[in-house]
């Protein structure tokens, strides 16, 4: 992504992650969906066990890049990461911070048309989107686009502040998805649960 000089409004210096997150939350609380970036503990849990072999990786809703940073630490090369972020200020700040990853400023519901890493497909998708504040039709588009963008056997990794998988059961059934709860992270504001979604082998 090309980032215009001073586009973060900070006189050439990127805002600190926390300040940027707070300002974006004030601007668009429903889109941001959290009062603070995820903790390092949650980023560890969401990316647990990942290695270069899981690349390329698509990240949905990277925000200030906590999970992006964890992916890089797990050995995913920057040119094997594509991050799709609807918030322009988040997208610009992330592109400035990680110039070698692909940052696409777009709605993740358009993933099917964005086709990062097509035709081979991605090995994993890290979803940081506030799915609980989205209408089911949008969640359906995001999940259908995600599994179209994954290679066979690929996984969507996501987290929720709620008590159950944030992808409604009707959508999981329609797409042939199986949800597995993999971790509970108390060290996050608020505490969060991590899920993996995979497509059943017999699903189309
Ligand atoms: C809960 S924050 C998570 C940010 C980061 N992943 C983290 O865990 O700290 C949700 C992020 O998703 C982005 N977002 C919300 N709706 C989106 C959409 N439809 N497409 C792409 N990004 C979206 C927000 O701008 C925000 O950066």
């Amino acid at each position: 992504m090309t980032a215009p000089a001073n586009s973060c409004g900070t006189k050439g210096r990127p805002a600190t992650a926390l300040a940027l997150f707070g300002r974006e939350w004030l601007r668009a609380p429903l889109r941001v969906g959290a009062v603070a970036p995820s903790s390092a503990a949650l980023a560890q849990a969401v990316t647990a066990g990942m290695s270069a072999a899981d690349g390329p990786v698509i990240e949905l809703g990277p925000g200030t890049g906590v999970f992006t940073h964890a992916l890089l630490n797990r050995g995913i090369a920057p040119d094997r990461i594509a991050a799709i972020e609807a918030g322009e200020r988040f997208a610009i700040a992330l592109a400035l911070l990680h110039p070698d990853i692909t940052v696409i400023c777009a709605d993740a519901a358009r993933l099917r048309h964005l086709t990062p890493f097509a035709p081979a497909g991605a090995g994993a998708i890290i979803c940081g989107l506030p799915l609980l504040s989205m209408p089911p039709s949008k969640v359906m588009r995001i999940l259908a686009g995600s599994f179209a963008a994954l290679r066979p056997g690929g996984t969507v990794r996501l987290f929720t502040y709620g008590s159950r998988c944030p992808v409604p059961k009707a959508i999981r059934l329609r797409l042939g998805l199986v949800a597995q709860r993999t971790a509970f992270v108390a060290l996050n504001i608020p505490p969060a649960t991590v899920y993996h979604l995979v497509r059943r082998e017999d699903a189309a």
Side-chain angles (χ1 to χ4, degrees), residues 21 31-34 36-38 59-64 66-67 84-87 90 106-109 128-130 134 138 142 159 161:
F21 205 96
R31 169 173 55 79
V32 174
S38 295
E59 191 181 351
L60 306 179
T64 52
V66 177
F67 297 162
I84 300 174
E85 170 57 59
F90 278 141
D107 184 343
L129 301 171
M134 293 179 180
K138 185 162 183 163
I142 290 168
F159 68 93
Y161 307 130

Side-chain angles (χ1 to χ4, degrees), residues 135-137 139-140 143 167-177:
S137 59
V139 177
M140 177 70 189
L143 266 297
V167 177
K169 191 173 177 186
I171 293 179
R172 283 184 269 144
L173 286 175
R174 186 143 164 223
L175 295 175
L177 307 181

Side-chain angles (χ1 to χ4, degrees), residues 30 48 50 52 54 76 78 82 85 88 90 92 107 109 117 122 130 133 135 140 152 160 166-167 170 174 183 185 194:
L30 275 184
M50 290 183 78
D54 293 289
I76 314 289
E85 170 57 59
E88 192 183 3
F90 278 141
I92 290 170
D107 184 343
F117 307 121
S133 50
M140 177 70 189
T160 181
V167 177
R174 186 143 164 223
V185 181
V194 180

Side-chain angles (χ1 to χ4, degrees), residues 6-37 64 87-90 92-93 96:
N6 282 341
S7 53
C8 297
T10 54
K11 296 186 178 147
R13 211 164 28 90
T16 66
L18 204 55
L20 174 62
F21 205 96
R23 282 207 304 269
E24 285 298 283
W25 180 77
L26 286 173
R27 252 182 215 115
L30 275 184
R31 169 173 55 79
V32 174
V35 291
T64 52
E88 192 183 3
R89 290 172 186 81
F90 278 141
I92 290 170
L96 287 171

Side-chain angles (χ1 to χ4, degrees), residues 107-151:
D107 184 343
R110 296 193 55 246
L111 179 55
R112 189 179 278 279
H113 308 288
L114 300 171
T115 65
F117 307 121
I125 291 183
I126 304 289
C127 176
L129 301 171
L131 296 177
L132 290 179
S133 50
M134 293 179 180
S137 59
K138 185 162 183 163
V139 177
M140 177 70 189
R141 285 205 305 281
I142 290 168
L143 266 297
S146 294
F147 279 90
L150 283 170
R151 59 184 181 237

